[in-house]
Amino acid sequence: MPEPTVTEDPQSSAPISLAQAARLLGVEAKPLANVARQHGFFTAMGREVFFTQEQLKQVKALLKDKARAEKKADSRKRKPVSTFGVHESSELRKQRRRTKKRQAKKEE
């Protein structure tokens, strides 16, 4: 009696297109393609980009780590303490807004 052969699940070995991967991960296709190209987590066939299940897991982990790092960086930012005190006059508030706008324009 011959032994039963173990076959792989055809879904696990089928390539996943860029659009499908974007839908699965809940991100836009273009940024996903950029991240995949930067880190080499993709398979290219002509101009099309495909992913295997393993590559998709690696991209997902990378995106999760990036989001965690951004969240941690945002939590470190502190609001500056007001130099005018708690009760500012309307003129001082207007002056601060104008100053902030000028500084923002200079930084651009």
Side-chain angles (χ1 to χ4, degrees):
M1 186 159 138
E3 291 184 26
T5 58
V6 178
T7 58
E8 285 189 22
D9 181 18
Q11 293 290 345
S12 67
S13 62
I16 301 168
S17 71
L18 178 62
Q20 290 172 332
R23 262 187 265 118
L24 288 172
L25 296 175
V27 295
E28 294 291 323
K30 188 148 184 137
L32 176 61
N34 290 339
V35 168
R37 282 188 180 101
Q38 287 174 353
H39 297 281
F41 299 137
F42 70 99
T43 303
M45 293 182 202
R47 296 181 79 186
E48 298 294 318
V49 175
F50 294 97
F51 299 92
T52 62
Q53 287 290 337
E54 186 60 35
Q55 290 170 335
L56 206 56
K57 287 178 187 176
Q58 291 172 337
V59 170
K60 188 175 182 178
L62 180 71
L63 292 175
K64 192 182 283 189
D65 289 344
K66 265 187 158 181
R68 192 177 299 136
E70 287 176 5
K71 186 176 179 182
K72 192 173 183 179
D74 285 344
S75 68
R76 289 187 208 141
K77 294 180 183 174
R78 292 186 182 154
K79 291 185 177 179
V81 178
S82 174
T83 57
F84 297 111
V86 177
H87 302 286
E88 299 177 9
S89 69
S90 60
E91 285 299 315
L92 287 174
R93 243 182 272 131
K94 288 178 188 176
Q95 184 180 1
R96 280 183 52 211
R97 287 185 192 136
R98 282 189 224 117
T99 306
K100 281 185 180 181
K101 284 183 182 178
R102 278 191 224 120
Q103 288 175 349
K105 285 184 181 179
K106 285 181 182 177
E107 291 177 0
E108 290 177 352

